[in-house]
Amino acid sequence: MARWWVCGLLSLLAVAAAVDAAEGSAEPLIRLPTQDEHDAAPAPAPSAEEGITRWAVLVAGSSGYENYRHQADVCHAYQILKKGGLKEENIVVFMYDDIAKNHENPRPGVIINHPKGKDVYAGVPKDYTGDQVTTNNFFAVLMGNKTGVTGGSMPNNPWLYAGDFIKVLKEKHASKSYSKMVIYVEACESGSMFEGIMPQDLNIYVSTAANAVESSWGTYCPGMNPPPPHEYITCLGDVYSVSWMEDSETHNLKKEAIKDQYETVKKRTSSSNNNLTGSHVMEYGDMTFRDEKLFLYQGFDPANVNNTNRLPLPSLEGAINQRDADILFMWKRYEQLDAGSEEKLRVLKKIKETVAHRKHLDSSIDFIGKLVFGFENGPSVLEAPRSSGQPVVDNWDCLKRMVRVFESHCGSLTQYGMKHMRAFSNLCNNGISEVEMKEASVFACGGYNSAKWSPLVLGHSA
């Protein structure tokens, strides 16, 4: 009996994978946090037609209405897989679930992922929500490890690090609990999670929204074409994610191969009509099954049986850097409020504080680079990309230590500060010690009042 997985991660990682039941040597179930050992249902029988069982794990790695698009992407992915015939108990969803009923949501209880799209929130299971959305719980689910389920909050901290993720994938493969897996990842610099460290012999194929050095992009945002409905002041989706999903739901997946979708999504995502607002979709891992049809992983929607797979997806005219989407939301919120109101002043204060902290992060890291590598060489050393095929960092534990030291003295990196992970990596790659990093951080950030940005408030990112 074969099991196929669809893994989906957003903001940190993004959508689907397929698994094989192998010889029954591993735990076949992905348990919910409230499930008792004795309550677990037996693993579903495979499809008689295909002899396989599909599993999916969908993860939205952010919270807050300004990040509407991430949970919208995950809900949309769930609807596609459900229409494809995956059983509800085989689709595990991680999302903070603070969007649908958010007071900012103009359509209470509804989430859309396209300007003219239907509600994608209805029916989505509440498997892991709120403080159950953690990196550790995600890993526990992948491994079928019930005892590993704990509290915490992945949309906040600690973040998911590539070294840890690859280690879990290797352990998953060693457990012989799947036959093949496909992973979609929506994140800025998402290629850096796999470049140089993703093995080719795990029977896992990975597609990412961007390469190792660039941002991914939000779409269906206010002021763009097509725009969201007039009452929305936030982006509805992400270019890469909506591209693969809109492709899947409009094509006959029994005729479309993994490689076909990759090329389609790559073209749509890279341009958005120009390279200034697009990213380079990448692929990693096992390339030997790119010719396989997508229905093996995402299922098959009978409504698409007569689709010819020849109609191109419409272009996306306009996109926004992922890290600026929250600022766009705040400005739109500010413009919407009554002049002189306390709420308008509160939002303006938040914008100022957010922009000021971003400038602080940028200038502090730049200053640290000059302190440890010299005034002339500092910036170039920190931002230097590594050769193709090399991982972003050689020592992942060192990277975590550098981040913790920096945050302890300079404040939380926040979602925006993730852009500086290459700088922290290059500190490690160039042999900078933890003591040297602490000294430089004290010099760069001494006297800075991190206040609301303190890791004591937001938690450490590592």
Side-chain angles (χ1 to χ4, degrees), residues 168-355:
V168 169
L169 293 180
K170 289 179 179 179
E171 291 174 356
K172 182 70 178 173
H173 180 261
S175 73
K176 299 182 179 180
S177 56
Y178 71 94
S179 64
K180 295 176 184 176
M181 184 183 298
V182 174
I183 300 176
Y184 294 81
V185 182
E186 175 76 61
C188 296
E189 295 90 31
S190 45
S192 66
M193 296 190 66
F194 304 97
E195 182 78 26
I197 58 173
M198 180 65 194
Q200 298 179 2
D201 59 355
L202 301 184
N203 295 337
I204 298 175
Y205 171 86
V206 180
S207 171
T208 65
N211 63 27
V213 298
E214 65 187 354
S215 174
S216 59
W217 297 78
T219 191
Y220 302 144
C221 307
M224 298 178 184
N225 187 24
H230 67 89
E231 67 268 30
Y232 283 86
I233 58 173
T234 189
C235 302
L236 302 183
D238 297 289
V239 176
Y240 166 80
S241 293
V242 301
S243 292
W244 79 255
M245 287 188 287
E246 290 174 8
D247 178 81
S248 288
E249 66 186 353
T250 58
H251 288 74
N252 182 339
L253 300 189
K254 287 191 174 183
K255 295 182 179 180
E256 184 174 20
I258 293 172
K259 66 178 183 181
D260 298 330
Q261 184 172 83
Y262 169 75
E263 293 298 336
T264 297
V265 174
K266 180 179 179 180
K267 181 178 180 180
R268 194 187 194 202
T269 303
S270 67
S271 61
S272 293
N273 286 334
N274 66 79
N275 282 326
L276 297 178
T277 56
S279 58
H280 298 83
V281 174
M282 303 295 289
E283 54 185 352
Y284 301 93
D286 190 341
M287 302 294 160
T288 64
F289 57 95
R290 293 175 77 246
D291 289 332
E292 291 186 355
K293 304 306 181 186
L294 284 165
F295 85 98
L296 292 170
Y297 303 87
Q298 298 182 29
F300 174 69
D301 183 355
N304 294 331
V305 67
N306 294 320
N307 287 0
T308 63
N309 292 4
R310 294 178 181 175
L311 294 176
L313 293 171
S315 62
L316 299 170
E317 299 177 12
I320 188 169
N321 187 304
Q322 289 275 14
R323 297 191 174 99
D324 293 330
D326 59 338
I327 295 292
L328 173 65
F329 164 74
M330 286 188 278
W331 274 116
K332 291 299 179 181
R333 176 66 175 148
Y334 174 80
E335 294 168 359
Q336 189 183 61
L337 295 167
D338 295 334
S341 67
E342 289 187 11
E343 180 65 10
K344 193 178 186 78
L345 294 176
R346 187 191 67 79
V347 172
L348 181 60
K349 180 183 177 183
K350 184 177 181 180
I351 293 173
K352 289 181 177 179
E353 290 176 343
T354 301
V355 172

Side-chain angles (χ1 to χ4, degrees), residues 67-200:
N67 290 313
Y68 180 107
R69 63 199 183 280
H70 299 147
Q71 293 184 48
D73 290 341
V74 155
C75 289
H76 190 179
Y78 172 83
Q79 302 298 344
I80 290 172
L81 298 175
K82 192 72 166 56
K83 287 183 179 178
L86 272 73
K87 296 183 178 182
E88 182 175 325
E89 60 266 32
N90 286 25
I91 308 173
V92 180
V93 179
F94 285 76
M95 67 176 185
Y96 208 77
D97 197 26
D98 60 346
I99 301 301
K101 298 178 182 178
N102 193 292
H103 70 279
E104 301 276 10
N105 189 1
R107 301 181 187 178
V110 171
I111 294 178
I112 60 175
N113 196 219
H114 185 278
K116 297 181 180 179
K118 297 179 181 179
D119 178 24
V120 294
Y121 182 70
V124 175
K126 308 294 175 53
D127 296 324
Y128 293 81
T129 61
D131 65 4
Q132 295 168 338
V133 182
T134 69
T135 298
N136 285 339
N137 283 350
F138 169 58
F139 289 164
V141 163
L142 282 182
M143 295 303 298
N145 176 16
K146 180 187 175 185
T147 61
V149 173
T150 61
S153 183
M154 179 161 67
N156 296 312
N157 295 302
W159 293 336
L160 185 155
Y161 282 78
D164 298 328
F165 185 45
I166 299 301
K167 179 181 178 182
V168 169
L169 293 180
K170 289 179 179 179
E171 291 174 356
K172 182 70 178 173
H173 180 261
S175 73
K176 299 182 179 180
S177 56
Y178 71 94
S179 64
K180 295 176 184 176
M181 184 183 298
V182 174
I183 300 176
Y184 294 81
V185 182
E186 175 76 61
C188 296
E189 295 90 31
S190 45
S192 66
M193 296 190 66
F194 304 97
E195 182 78 26
I197 58 173
M198 180 65 194
Q200 298 179 2

